[in-house]
Amino acid sequence: MADKEDPKKRGKGKGKSKDVCGYPLSIFFIVVNEFCERFSYYGMRAVLVLYFKYFLQWDEDLATSIYHTFVALCYLTPILGAIVADSWLGKFKTIVYLSIVYTIGQVAMAVSAVHDITDSNRDGTPDNMTFHVALSMVGLFLIALGTGGIKPCVAAFGGDQFSEHQDKQRRTFFSVFYLCINGGSLLSTIITPILRGQECGIYSQQKCYSLAFGVPAALMVVALVVFIVGSGMYYKAEPEGNIMLDVCKCIGFAINNRYRHRSNQYPRRQHWMDWAEEKYDKLLIAQIKMVLKVLFLYIPLPMFWTLFDQKGSRWTLQATTMNGYFGKLVIQPDQMQIFNPILILTLVPIMDSVIYPLIKKCGFNFTPLKRMTVGMFLAAMAFVCAALVQVEIDKTLPVFPSASQSQLKLLNMGSSAVTVNLPGNESLTLNAAQASDKYFTFETEQIIVSVGSPGMTQAIFLKRKSRQTLLIPSVISNEWLLTQDLTCKPGQGNNEIRFVNGMNMPVNVTTSAVDLGLIEPFYYSTYSTIKNGETKFSLLSGSQSCEYIKDFGFGGSYTFFIPSTFVFGPDCQDSITVVEDIEPNSVHMALQIPQYFFITAGEVMFSVTGLEFSYSQAPSNMKAVLQAGWLFTVAIGNFIVLIVAEIAKLPNKWAEYVLFASLLVLVCIIFSTMAYFYTYIDPSEIEDQFSKKVDEDEDDKDKREKAEIKMVRRDSAESYDDSYKQSNM
């Protein structure tokens, strides 16, 4: 009977928390801790794939691979955290120790993003990238260990703070707890991309990834401090052993025992777990059978997570090639992820209070497994939408030269039109201070170019796999210059610009953020990075000046030509020629909203329903085992991304999206078939049957023992009478 008493009433592990409005004051510290921790995790994760690509200079495939490896580790380590908490340290110490590890990892990530540490020549690019890569990998490993390790502990530790008579308050706590998770996710996904978009640095200004990682690190410090401050108020249950270890030992014994008795001379048993009956209780074996039945249904589930978690990698990279203007509001590529928590908070109540009741009224038995099947199908549709969006993006992307090709554009720096003849092309007339509309592609390194009439001919040597612009001077007999142009689209939604000076005097060009320097006559500046939005350029030459304003979009490359007829003054705005070398992003980010809607609707029907189904089909003492199994499917799903992307090696991204959608549809069919043959059970009834059987066995045992006692007494009496008779005789 003592085991059924409230442990807090017995004083074991009791804290000094007071009740406020019926709730233990200690849960305030736990709720704040969870909000800060989730802000820290999701904030760091929101900008992670962009950090890989643009700071560490990795290609998209490597950035995606490392991102999903990290996410997979975050869902593998909860198993370790649960074992440590339940078998060794207890929940409180596990949360504290692993939060310290977590905080160190976040600080390491923030430090790894400070480019000035190894930027000895102060050009804005780290000189020792190995240092930054190594430190960031150490940081990510510590974060995965920390966030995964405390994941199974915090919610359960909060539930421990309530007494038996506070069931209503406990349910409210869990609602607030999960609201904090979504709230922290939503706010961090909005804020950290804004911080990343800022420019910071000691010697040179670059995208501020250190701040984007530093704020989550600071929030993790706050989470740790707040949690420790409430230490004296917590009820800290002692570790009582881990059911997962017991399950693993029982399964291991059954397999080993079956292997040792594999000969035909041993009779077969109804279920392979029955081979554990020699050592383990039949109730435990029956509970494991129920768990294994659900885990068998988990086999196809990782494919859903393979698609779902790509919203933080492939979809974010896709958004970098899109236009983020929503009226006056500018959305960063990594901010598109905010639609997921927003839609979750919207769709969950709609599904529960509107959609499911309507389906039920229509007479359709929409079972949990059917909901999960529909959720998987919706996730596949999300990737079909992503493929369609990618097709639209590909239409706007420039065609860069292959390894055997070269591309050339022409710019007439003179004040009169000229005729240009290029090999394999028709004669082209270039007006004064104008450039050709496109790049011309050539398969040879040397071409003969004829300019003017009568023409002047020169041999031009082109670099393979490069783009160049031929600057045709106003005096044809002067030197012809070749510029090196960009052969990739500007990253992070930025723009690359340069100025060409066609005047016979030097010009200094500056902006508030960039100084292009002094441009000599008939020469050009190097490329400079300009953010989206309106930028004001100041052109200075001696005492003369001009203000030129240009509104930039996302991801474009421009050459600004100052013609020989340029006149300084207030009306100089229209005198500069703008050459669009690479078209800015024109496909709007709003086109990603349908794919976010489908993936989130799929998540609500798949994930929320899946957890509900798993808990309803699991024994009361093994829900943690199924939670670990569920998290394990998430980890496997992220590993599948690496495998499929590595094996497929598809040149087109839209084809990769279609491949993932097709695989999920195939898995969806397999899962629906498995679900069709699944029989729903009530674990409590099965456990009650075993309890009754045990009670009946005990009653039978008592009856047998009583009968044996009577027989013994009777035998004793008879032997006494016999001995008495014999002695008398």
Side-chain angles (χ1 to χ4, degrees):
M1 293 296 293
D3 292 337
K4 295 182 180 179
E5 293 179 5
D6 188 346
K8 296 173 195 178
K9 294 179 181 178
R10 299 198 305 266
K12 186 177 180 181
K14 185 178 180 181
K16 299 178 181 178
S17 178
K18 297 180 180 179
D19 285 357
V20 178
C21 298
Y23 294 87
L25 183 60
S26 57
I27 66 167
F28 167 78
F29 299 93
I30 298 172
V31 167
V32 174
N33 167 271
E34 182 65 14
F35 176 84
C36 295
E37 187 275 326
R38 289 291 87 185
F39 185 106
S40 177
Y41 173 72
Y42 283 109
M44 177 276 304
R45 182 172 149 177
V47 301
L48 187 59
V49 73
L50 299 184
Y51 168 75
F52 289 155
K53 182 178 180 182
Y54 297 116
F55 187 92
L56 299 183
Q57 301 296 315
W58 291 347
D59 60 41
E60 290 191 5
D61 289 335
L62 180 58
T64 300
S65 298
I66 300 301
Y67 174 88
H68 285 284
T69 301
F70 166 71
V71 174
L73 286 175
C74 289
Y75 285 96
L76 283 176
T77 50
I79 300 174
L80 177 63
I83 293 174
V84 170
D86 292 343
S87 305
W88 181 28
L89 293 178
K91 298 183 186 71
F92 175 76
K93 289 183 179 178
T94 301
I95 294 171
V96 171
Y97 294 159
L98 290 182
S99 292
I100 294 173
V101 172
Y102 192 167
T103 304
I104 294 172
Q106 288 283 33
V107 172
M109 284 298 298
V111 174
S112 73
V114 180
H115 64 275
D116 291 300
I117 293 177
T118 62
D119 186 14
S120 56
N121 58 4
R122 301 183 181 182
D123 63 349
T125 303
D127 298 326
N128 184 7
M129 195 62 76
T130 303
F131 167 81
H132 296 275
V133 171
L135 189 59
S136 61
M137 292 303 101
V138 170
L140 288 177
F141 176 77
L142 295 178
I143 291 171
L145 184 62
T147 187
I150 68 175
K151 189 187 293 288
C153 301
V154 180
F157 185 72
D160 289 345
Q161 307 309 307
F162 294 87
S163 301
E164 288 183 348
H165 66 278
Q166 294 178 308
D167 287 338
K168 182 180 178 181
Q169 289 87 342
R170 184 186 287 108
R171 288 194 297 271
T172 305
F173 161 73
F174 282 118
S175 299
V176 174
F177 185 83
Y178 289 111
L179 180 63
C180 287
I181 292 176
N182 286 286
S185 169
L186 178 61
L187 285 178
S188 63
T189 309
I190 295 173
I191 294 172
T192 52
I194 295 175
L195 300 177
R196 175 196 60 80
Q198 307 303 310
E199 293 190 345
C200 60
I202 302 173
Y203 306 119
S204 59
Q205 300 293 303
Q206 298 295 329
K207 291 293 183 182
C208 207
Y209 287 98
S210 56
L211 183 60
F213 290 143
V215 170
L219 264 292
M220 195 57 224
V221 172
V222 172
L224 177 60
V225 171
V226 168
F227 187 75
I228 293 176
V229 166
S231 174
M233 303 181 187
Y234 300 139
Y235 163 69
K236 304 166 187 174
E238 295 294 328
E240 299 177 354
N242 194 296
I243 188 65
M244 285 192 290
L245 291 179
D246 295 335
V247 170
C248 292
K249 289 178 182 178
C250 185
I251 293 174
F253 179 82
I255 295 173
N256 184 50
N257 198 30
R258 177 68 184 90
Y259 179 76
R260 287 190 290 108
H261 298 85
R262 62 188 181 276
S263 174
N264 292 332
Q265 70 184 46
Y266 298 103
R268 298 185 64 181
R269 302 190 182 183
Q270 188 176 6
H271 192 281
W272 63 271
M273 274 303 303
D274 293 334
W275 287 95
E277 289 180 350
E278 283 82 351
K279 184 177 180 180
Y280 291 91
D281 183 63
K282 288 185 178 181
L283 176 59
L284 176 64
I285 294 172
Q287 291 171 330
I288 293 176
K289 287 179 183 178
M290 289 185 272
V291 168
L292 291 176
K293 189 178 179 182
V294 178
L295 289 178
F296 176 72
L297 280 178
Y298 280 4
I299 294 175
L301 302 191
M303 199 64 213
F304 174 87
W305 302 113
T306 299
L307 276 68
F308 178 78
D309 280 327
Q310 289 191 59
K311 61 182 174 58
S313 57
R314 290 295 198 202
W315 288 10
T316 299
L317 293 173
Q318 183 186 64
T320 62
T321 60
M322 303 177 76
N323 180 4
Y325 279 110
F326 286 76
K328 293 184 178 181
L329 181 65
V330 179
I331 299 295
Q332 299 296 327
D334 33 359
Q335 282 181 318
M336 284 300 293
Q337 298 176 56
I338 65 173
F339 283 101
N340 180 247
I342 290 175
L343 288 170
I344 285 177
L345 295 174
T346 305
L347 289 177
V348 168
I350 291 177
M351 289 286 190
D352 289 339
S353 59
V354 179
I355 304 298
Y356 294 152
L358 281 177
I359 294 175
K360 188 176 181 180
K361 282 186 178 181
C362 292
F364 184 70
N365 185 19
F366 202 32
T367 62
L369 292 179
K370 289 178 181 177
R371 295 181 193 177
M372 293 175 67
T373 304
V374 173
M376 296 171 80
F377 182 76
L378 290 174
M381 291 303 98
F383 266 64
V384 172
C385 293
L388 294 175
V389 171
Q390 190 62 48
V391 168
E392 292 301 312
I393 293 173
D394 290 345
K395 292 178 182 178
T396 66
L397 295 178
V399 179
F400 293 108
S402 65
S404 61
Q405 295 176 330
S406 302
Q407 291 183 341
L408 182 69
K409 179 176 273 194
L410 306 171
L411 173 61
N412 179 14
M413 300 175 67
S415 56
S416 58
V418 296
T419 302
V420 182
N421 291 298
L422 296 172
N425 294 274
E426 297 180 357
S427 295
L428 174 67
T429 300
L430 289 177
N431 293 324
Q434 295 298 317
S436 57
D437 295 332
K438 64 176 183 178
Y439 281 91
F440 299 93
T441 302
F442 301 96
E443 300 291 339
T444 58
E445 292 186 355
Q446 180 180 335
I447 62 173
I448 305 299
V449 181
S450 175
V451 178
S453 180
M456 180 175 180
T457 302
Q458 282 195 21
I460 304 296
F461 292 89
L462 303 175
K463 289 184 179 180
R464 292 193 183 278
K465 203 180 180 180
S466 68
R467 281 183 159 192
Q468 295 174 284
T469 297
L470 177 62
L471 303 181
I472 303 173
S474 55
V475 180
I476 303 299
S477 58
N478 289 347
E479 181 184 5
W480 296 4
L481 294 177
L482 273 176
T483 67
Q484 295 299 318
D485 300 354
L486 297 179
T487 53
C488 62
K489 197 168 178 65
Q492 305 185 70
N494 291 324
N495 301 275
E496 296 290 335
I497 63 102
R498 65 182 177 183
F499 276 78
V500 176
N501 182 11
M503 298 191 299
N504 58 4
M505 64 180 74
V507 177
N508 187 276
V509 181
T510 60
T511 71
S512 59
V514 178
D515 184 0
L516 282 77
L518 188 67
I519 307 173
E520 297 295 334
F522 311 113
Y523 207 68
Y524 56 92
S525 67
T526 57
Y527 279 104
S528 296
T529 302
I530 299 294
K531 295 171 61 177
N532 63 283
E534 188 176 273
T535 300
K536 181 185 292 185
F537 296 92
S538 297
L539 282 69
L540 302 173
S541 182
S543 60
Q544 303 179 88
S545 65
C546 168
E547 298 290 336
Y548 175 75
I549 299 174
K550 169 70 176 175
D551 193 9
F552 291 96
F554 294 85
S557 175
Y558 303 89
T559 296
F560 297 98
F561 175 59
I562 306 172
S564 58
T565 56
F566 181 81
V567 177
F568 287 92
D571 299 326
C572 65
Q573 179 76 28
D574 298 329
S575 301
I576 294 178
T577 300
V578 181
V579 181
E580 193 177 86
D581 298 330
I582 296 178
E583 180 184 348
N585 303 344
S586 56
V587 179
H588 203 275
M589 283 186 194
L591 290 181
Q592 279 196 325
I593 294 178
Q595 65 200 58
Y596 273 99
F597 174 81
F598 279 117
I599 200 74
T600 307
E603 179 190 8
V604 171
M605 300 190 76
F606 178 87
S607 182
V608 176
T609 306
L611 286 171
E612 174 190 340
F613 163 78
S614 301
Y615 274 54
S616 69
Q617 299 294 290
S620 57
N621 64 334
M622 292 193 183
K623 298 189 186 299
V625 177
L626 280 182
Q627 177 70 9
W630 183 268
L631 295 175
F632 188 71
T633 65
V634 182
I636 297 300
N638 281 273
F639 283 127
I640 292 175
V641 178
L642 315 181
I643 297 170
V644 174
E646 194 65 29
I647 293 176
K649 291 288 186 183
L650 297 175
N652 297 315
K653 293 177 185 176
W654 66 264
E656 187 175 278
Y657 291 143
V658 172
L659 173 62
F660 279 113
S662 302
L663 290 174
L664 186 55
V665 169
L666 177 62
V667 169
C668 185
I669 295 172
I670 296 172
F671 179 76
S672 63
T673 305
M674 296 170 63
Y676 178 79
F677 293 101
Y678 182 84
T679 303
Y680 290 84
I681 61 173
D682 187 347
S684 60
E685 288 186 2
I686 297 175
E687 290 174 326
D688 288 342
Q689 290 174 7
F690 273 87
S691 299
K692 290 178 181 178
K693 189 174 181 181
V694 170
D695 292 339
E696 290 173 358
D697 291 343
E698 288 180 353
D699 291 340
D700 292 341
K701 184 178 178 181
D702 290 340
K703 291 177 181 178
R704 287 195 301 269
E705 288 178 350
K706 290 178 180 178
E708 289 173 358
I709 291 171
K710 288 181 180 180
M711 289 296 293
V712 169
R713 288 176 177 172
R714 181 181 174 186
D715 293 342
S716 300
E718 290 176 353
S719 58
Y720 172 80
D721 291 340
D722 291 342
S723 61
Y724 177 77
K725 290 175 182 178
Q726 289 173 4
S727 62
N728 285 340
M729 289 177 66

